[in-house]
Amino acid sequence: GYNDTTYTMTSASQTGIAVAMSPVVTTSCPFPTTFKWKDYGSAVASPVGNGWVSIKDFTNVMYNGQHLVYASTHDASNYGSMGMTPFTNWSDAAKATQNKMNVSVVAPELMYFTPKKQWILSYQWGSAKFNYMTSSDPTKANGWGGGGSLLNEDVAKADGAEYGPIDQVPICDATTCYLFYAGDNGHIYRASMPIGNFPGVFTGSKSILQDTKANLFEAVEVYTVKGTGKYLMIVECMGSARYFRAFSATSLGGTWTPISNATGENTPFAGRKNISNPPSWTNDISHGDLVRSADETRTVDPCNLQLLYQGYAASFTGAYDLKPYKLGVLTFEGK
């Protein structure tokens, strides 16, 4: 945490030199409890090529100072996935190549697992409830391989989950890795394993949050909030348009408490009601990811929050799978 400096010697041997060191001044921000956002003003990226009508379910990490984004895709009939060529600024996102993946990884989540120096890409709708692949170079959309199951059990079915477990997110602290997921049924679930066993099969799933289907729908994301000792969970909800609620905890394995100013459509974590310039191209603020560190802690900086989201033209009236989702971005404005 100190700046490098140099001292010019005036002879080959010197004594009595005093060195004063000044710490680097860093800015820290408290855990956010009220939320106001500014929209980029337009979609930052749209489907390009491959017959895609939709890009959605965005996951984003910072890699070598650039945004690295993976997403689900949909053409006229099938889901797929893609990875975007890394880009530095949101103004460059529309020009970034959208690289079609040879393997479909729907609702991807990207992570660099530090203990094993391994990139992990988790996803749903594979051979197990949730699965993962590994890579040494996350910029190569078709460089992923190996991997295996992340979750085999299905406790969500007993709670009325029509599609079973959906929208997984792995995150770790110093000793334990956790898997959070939804069920489109008003429940958020959590499973776990010792960090030394990750990546592997999570067990012990249980419901940790329960509400109506509309109030706890899907697209759960969990983060470490830098410098606060707290964790943030966001969950997509159904209202007149999609929006996010938020919860906080002091440990990943602990109790999650609703953040009082982010509990509904009129006072959301992120939704049309708390965007200073509500986007004209979409009503929905839907499945995405906060800009975060690449590692397993999924750390976000409360001084610089940005939310990737999926949105689509409100005039569209076709089937859900054909909704023309695009990439949007919100920047946190504070209170």
Side-chain angles (χ1 to χ4, degrees), residues 11-267:
S11 64
S13 177
Q14 286 185 263
T15 59
I17 300 171
V19 178
M21 300 179 71
S22 299
V24 175
V25 177
T26 59
T27 302
S28 61
C29 295
F31 187 90
T33 56
T34 56
F35 303 92
K36 189 75 173 180
W37 303 85
K38 182 177 182 180
D39 189 69
Y40 183 79
S42 62
V44 299
S46 304
V48 177
N50 300 291
W52 294 334
V53 298
S54 173
I55 53 175
K56 56 188 295 188
D57 307 332
F58 302 102
T59 182
N60 173 101
V61 302
M62 296 306 296
Y63 178 68
N64 291 336
Q66 294 184 300
H67 293 280
L68 182 56
V69 177
Y70 277 78
S72 304
T73 64
H74 202 284
D75 56 23
S77 56
N78 296 303
Y79 276 94
S81 53
M82 65 90 168
M84 297 175 69
T85 301
F87 56 89
T88 302
N89 302 306
W90 295 120
S91 58
D92 302 321
K95 297 175 288 186
T97 303
Q98 298 174 12
N99 303 290
K100 182 178 180 180
M101 298 183 69
N102 296 330
V103 178
S104 178
V105 292
V106 177
E109 288 285 356
L110 183 60
M111 169 202 291
Y112 180 70
F113 188 52
T114 308
K116 295 182 180 177
K117 296 180 172 59
Q118 190 175 55
W119 285 92
I120 308 290
L121 189 65
S122 63
Y123 60 99
Q124 66 186 34
W125 297 353
S127 58
K129 302 302 180 183
F130 299 125
N131 303 269
Y132 73 94
M133 295 189 297
T134 64
S135 176
S136 59
D137 185 351
T139 67
K140 295 181 179 179
N142 287 304
W144 298 90
S149 302
L150 279 181
L151 186 73
N152 295 319
E153 60 194 20
D154 187 355
V155 302
K157 186 176 182 180
D159 295 326
E162 181 179 359
Y163 304 108
I166 191 171
D167 294 345
Q168 81 299 330
V169 54
I171 181 173
C172 310
D173 59 23
T175 63
T176 307
C177 289
Y178 296 88
L179 185 73
F180 293 84
Y181 59 92
D184 284 0
N185 62 345
H187 289 262
I188 300 299
Y189 300 92
R190 179 179 62 206
S192 65
M193 70 171 68
I195 194 169
N197 294 348
F198 185 82
V201 179
F202 285 92
T203 58
S205 293
K206 64 178 182 178
S207 174
I208 59 168
L209 290 173
Q210 183 176 1
D211 205 319
T212 65
K213 176 179 178 178
N215 287 343
L216 281 178
F217 189 50
E218 60 186 22
V220 58
E221 301 283 355
V222 182
Y223 307 96
T224 302
V225 182
K226 180 181 178 181
T228 67
K230 294 183 179 181
Y231 299 90
L232 170 69
M233 176 193 292
I234 62 174
V235 181
E236 183 178 340
C237 306
M238 304 167 70
S240 60
R242 298 291 180 90
Y243 68 95
F244 283 94
R245 293 174 67 192
F247 304 80
S248 67
T250 55
S251 67
L252 290 170
T255 300
W256 291 85
T257 304
I259 297 175
S260 60
N261 293 310
T263 57
E265 187 174 8
N266 289 327
T267 55

Side-chain angles (χ1 to χ4, degrees), residues 36-41 274-279 305-307 309 329-334:
K36 189 75 173 180
W37 303 85
K38 182 177 182 180
D39 189 69
Y40 183 79
N274 67 343
I275 299 175
S276 59
N277 59 331
L305 293 176
Q306 290 188 307
L307 175 66
Y309 70 90
V329 173
L330 300 178
T331 298
F332 188 62
E333 291 189 317

Side-chain angles (χ1 to χ4, degrees), residues 259-290:
I259 297 175
S260 60
N261 293 310
T263 57
E265 187 174 8
N266 289 327
T267 55
F269 170 78
R272 289 191 64 82
K273 295 295 180 69
N274 67 343
I275 299 175
S276 59
N277 59 331
S280 59
W281 63 277
T282 180
N283 289 330
D284 283 17
I285 306 300
S286 185
H287 194 150
D289 198 1
L290 289 171

